[in-house]
Amino acid sequence: MNRDDIDRIGAWITERGLAGTTETELLHGFCERCCDAGLPLSRGVALIDTLHPTYEGRAFRWRNDGVEERSVVEFGRTNEGGEAERNWVNSAFYRLLHGPDDELRRRLIPDAELEFPQLESFRSAGHTDYFALIHRFAADGMIGEMDCVYSSWTTRSPGGFDDEDLEALRRLVPSLALAIKCASLARIAGTLVEVYLGRDAGQRVLSGRILRGVADRISAALWYSDLRGFTTITDSGPPGEVIPLLNDYADAVISAVHEAGGDVLKLIGDGTLAIFTGADHAQSCRAALAAEAGLRRRLAQLNARRSAEEQPVTTVYLGLHIGDVFYGNIGSADRLDFTVVGPAVNEVSRIAAMCRSVDRHVVMSSAFVASTPEPERSRIVSVGRYALRGIGRAQELFTIDPATL
């Protein structure tokens, strides 16, 4: 690979990085261009940690032998014991992270002693040389555990990599690492806003809806749920059981809402505020009722598991309403919340509180029922007329007919 090839590939990396190309496309395009320029790559791997509630990082892979494998691998925690931690500790990347060097090369010649188990599999597959690099970030450039980009490169060339091959990788891979970091940061931003704000609200924020007071008037089916007897459970149970209990039941609620197409906007202790928006009121109400049915199924499974494990169980009280709300940024100049506000939001929380009084797990407003289509409406029955705390007028409330459950 000559200087012109290096300059050309470097310019391509810059252009693709600025264009927002994904990490996989960056790695694959880079490897293919290197091969076209005479650098005999057979496999390429890039790995970067991320900031995600489930995954520790992501690995991106390329190979030129036509063997199909996943080009992206999301891996879990490597510090919690088990096979994942053993594989990590016995890897070349671990050596680079905890050692003084930024590169590591091993010739995969026959009978050579190889200290990393993965290298033996490379040699068995016909690879002749292995070259690994780490590109570290300065402290100000780190987010969570994202502190570097790892990469490794192999060849099947009989003589392995020559000096020009290694020098080309040393010159080009830093630019590739920077482009991968940029793509990963954009992905992290998307993950964080969706995890903490909700899917729809997160996308609105990323699209530029960040000004205070910018809010849309929307019509939505509103969901407010909380846990039955949560205060009693927390007062009487061991402190260590509170967070696992909240997580178990929050997962059931949030999964049911998302599965039905709703968006969770806020978690308030044991409470959950969500909205369902659709082409019309009927579609929104139908989706909310589908989420309620999904939640009942999930709760039955969850309570069976927790009971078998001799852990405390509970159920969910749910209020459903429909109305117009303001959906957008509320707060101060430097601390905003993307949420819904309006009388309908207050009303749905009051409706949910009536579950205790009428001894039903779900209570719906008359407005919600009036917008609910058949056949769902035929399963709904009145529980009577009630005055809601803080609401100026009494209204008839409804629930799902117990005989249909």
Side-chain angles (χ1 to χ4, degrees):
M1 183 183 293
N2 57 42
R3 182 179 297 274
D4 289 342
D5 291 325
I6 292 174
D7 290 344
R8 176 176 52 80
I9 295 173
W12 177 86
I13 295 171
T14 301
E15 186 270 330
R16 288 290 85 202
L18 291 172
T21 302
T22 67
E23 302 95 326
T24 301
E25 293 170 328
L26 285 166
L27 177 65
H28 287 210
F30 172 80
C31 292
E32 290 161 3
R33 282 163 176 77
C34 286
C35 289
D36 291 343
L39 201 165
L41 295 176
S42 55
R43 293 200 67 171
V45 173
L47 186 150
I48 187 168
D49 286 341
T50 188
L51 193 59
H52 191 281
T54 304
Y55 304 112
E56 181 176 296
R58 309 174 84 225
F60 310 95
R61 305 187 293 188
W62 172 89
R63 58 194 301 165
N64 72 342
D65 56 6
V67 175
E68 291 189 8
E69 66 177 5
R70 286 188 296 164
S71 59
V72 182
V73 176
E74 294 175 312
F75 54 89
R77 305 294 161 189
T78 57
N79 60 352
E80 297 179 350
E83 184 178 0
E85 183 172 359
R86 289 193 297 272
N87 290 340
W88 169 239
V89 170
N90 292 318
S91 70
F93 290 155
Y94 183 88
R95 171 79 62 84
L96 287 173
L97 178 64
H98 294 280
D101 299 324
D102 292 333
E103 63 180 56
L104 180 150
R105 184 191 185 188
R106 294 293 183 268
R107 300 294 299 274
L108 306 181
I109 58 178
D111 302 325
E113 184 175 345
L114 302 173
E115 70 268 47
F116 306 111
Q118 188 181 30
L119 298 191
E120 181 58 49
S121 65
F122 285 149
R123 180 167 60 184
S124 300
H127 302 275
T128 58
D129 209 342
Y130 174 87
F131 188 52
L133 297 162
I134 183 173
H135 293 93
R136 308 174 197 268
F137 306 153
D140 290 344
M142 295 166 53
I143 294 183
E145 296 180 346
M146 181 191 280
D147 55 0
C148 63
V149 174
Y150 308 92
S151 65
S152 68
W153 315 93
T154 63
T155 182
R156 287 191 175 89
S157 178
F161 292 122
D162 60 30
D163 292 342
E164 291 183 356
D165 296 333
L166 297 178
E167 186 59 28
L169 288 172
R170 292 188 184 104
R171 292 183 59 183
L172 287 171
V173 174
S175 296
L176 177 65
L178 180 59
I180 287 174
K181 178 184 179 182
C182 289
S184 295
L185 286 175
R187 189 182 304 278
I188 285 175
T191 297
L192 291 181
V193 296
E194 289 190 12
V195 166
Y196 285 97
L197 298 180
R199 297 183 301 186
D200 182 69
Q203 288 303 313
R204 289 175 183 243
V205 168
L206 286 177
S207 69
R209 304 280 289 182
I210 60 172
L211 296 179
R212 182 169 62 144
V214 174
D216 297 320
R217 187 184 183 96
I218 65 170
S219 185
L222 303 172
W223 164 301
Y224 187 85
S225 61
D226 61 11
L227 299 185
R228 178 179 181 178
F230 178 68
T231 301
T232 302
I233 294 173
T234 56
D235 288 345
S236 60
E241 291 184 355
V242 175
I243 298 301
L245 181 142
L246 273 177
N247 285 339
D248 279 350
Y249 286 94
D251 181 66
V253 172
I254 295 169
S255 297
V257 170
H258 284 172
E259 187 177 74
D263 285 291
V264 173
L265 298 183
K266 193 177 293 294
L267 303 177
I268 312 164
D270 64 320
T272 302
L273 175 64
I275 61 172
F276 296 82
T277 57
D280 52 37
H281 285 178
Q283 182 177 332
S284 300
C285 293
R286 175 169 282 162
L289 288 171
E292 185 277 332
L295 174 60
R296 274 188 284 112
R297 292 192 298 271
R298 292 174 184 275
L299 288 177
Q301 296 169 357
L302 173 60
N303 286 340
R305 175 179 67 78
R306 289 183 63 89
S307 295
E309 296 171 354
E310 298 183 346
Q311 296 177 322
V313 299
T314 184
T315 188
V316 174
Y317 283 147
L318 169 62
L320 294 174
H321 185 36
I322 195 163
D324 291 340
V325 293
F326 288 100
Y327 184 37
N329 291 296
I330 310 296
S332 69
D334 56 3
R335 178 60 176 90
L336 296 171
D337 189 13
F338 203 104
T339 187
V340 289
V341 295
V345 179
N346 298 328
E347 198 164 343
V348 73
S349 67
R350 302 292 187 261
I351 292 169
M354 292 303 298
C355 289
R356 298 165 178 80
S357 300
V358 302
D359 194 25
R360 292 289 182 267
H361 74 279
V362 56
V363 174
M364 294 164 267
S365 69
S366 56
F368 183 92
V369 175
S371 297
T372 299
E374 295 291 355
E376 288 85 355
R377 190 189 299 187
S378 63
R379 300 175 54 241
I380 297 173
V381 295
S382 174
V383 294
R385 191 173 181 83
Y386 292 86
L388 304 177
R389 183 169 61 88
I391 307 299
R393 55 182 174 78
Q395 66 167 285
E396 189 173 13
L397 299 177
F398 297 81
T399 192
I400 296 175
D401 186 350
T404 67
L405 297 178

